[in-house]
Amino acid sequence: MTAALLAGLLAGYGIAVPVGAVGTYLVTLTARTSLRTGSCAALGVATADGLYALLAALGGSALAGLLRPALGPLRWASALVLAALAVGGAVAALRQYRGHRPATRAAPPAPSPARAYLALLGITLLNPTTLIYFAALVVGSRAAHAVPPVEQAVFVLAAFAASASWQLLLAGGGALLGRALTGHRGRLVTALASSCVITALAVRMLVPPG
């Protein structure tokens, strides 16, 4: 049981800690909205990680093999979604900056917590590499015996908890960033920098690994 717990925690942090395009978007989303919205978005990412961990525990090697042929189209879909987010964020920031709109004028509507949760859940699910990652860990840890269902559950819950704790930490950092950059120009620079980073990571996603 302890081994399954530690394996799940390590697996969850292993997939969550490297801050890629989704993590960058999570931080900037929280910075321009609220900690509540960012926390819901963070839980969306963690839910996707938990679902993939569950699928890997139940039948990782078979599912990973089925998804491998779809890696290319899904990678393109994920990159296009991230690129759209980057362009949309930059355009909205430029419009708001050039118009010098006061707070009473209509600003780009912030997503609701539920919408942020579903958006980040969907974006993260577009990356089947997460399933292959968990599947490799699960298959590699199954020597010649089957893992009991209780240990599988512990592994999945630990992976979810690890991912959730890290994503919530990123959301907290985004909330602090939002409080620090209250100036008109500061928010523009942050939005454009975020869009550039997300675009670069989306392009990098299209490059096959290795």
Side-chain angles (χ1 to χ4, degrees):
M1 193 74 67
T2 303
L5 175 63
L6 292 177
L9 289 174
L10 290 175
Y13 282 122
I15 196 65
V17 167
V19 180
V22 174
T24 303
Y25 179 68
L26 173 60
V27 171
T28 55
L29 173 67
T30 312
R32 67 182 178 85
T33 56
S34 66
L35 180 59
R36 181 186 177 190
T37 299
S39 297
C40 289
L43 291 177
V45 178
T47 300
D49 288 344
L51 288 174
Y52 274 143
L54 176 62
L55 290 174
L58 294 178
S61 57
L63 289 170
L66 290 174
L67 280 176
R68 282 186 191 277
L71 278 180
L74 287 173
R75 188 182 293 116
W76 273 96
S78 182
L80 289 175
V81 169
L82 291 171
L85 290 172
V87 172
V91 169
L94 286 171
R95 283 179 178 173
Q96 190 173 14
Y97 180 77
R98 288 175 178 174
H100 283 278
R101 297 171 182 168
T104 55
R105 293 291 298 275
S112 65
R115 188 174 178 182
Y117 172 87
L118 293 175
L120 269 293
L121 172 63
I123 291 172
T124 310
L125 286 176
L126 281 173
N127 184 16
T129 307
T130 306
L131 171 61
I132 295 175
Y133 165 83
F134 280 118
L137 292 177
V138 171
V139 173
S141 63
R142 288 176 177 170
H145 62 280
V147 178
V150 175
E151 292 188 15
Q152 290 182 351
V154 170
F155 173 84
V156 172
L157 291 176
F160 169 79
S163 178
S165 65
W166 180 257
Q167 305 303 337
L168 289 172
L169 180 63
L170 291 181
L176 293 176
L177 180 66
R179 293 192 183 95
L181 298 175
T182 54
H184 199 58
R185 183 171 298 177
R187 289 191 177 276
L188 173 66
V189 172
T190 303
L192 293 179
S194 170
S195 294
C196 290
V197 172
I198 293 175
T199 301
L201 290 170
V203 172
R204 184 182 177 187
M205 187 179 296
L206 299 177
V207 179

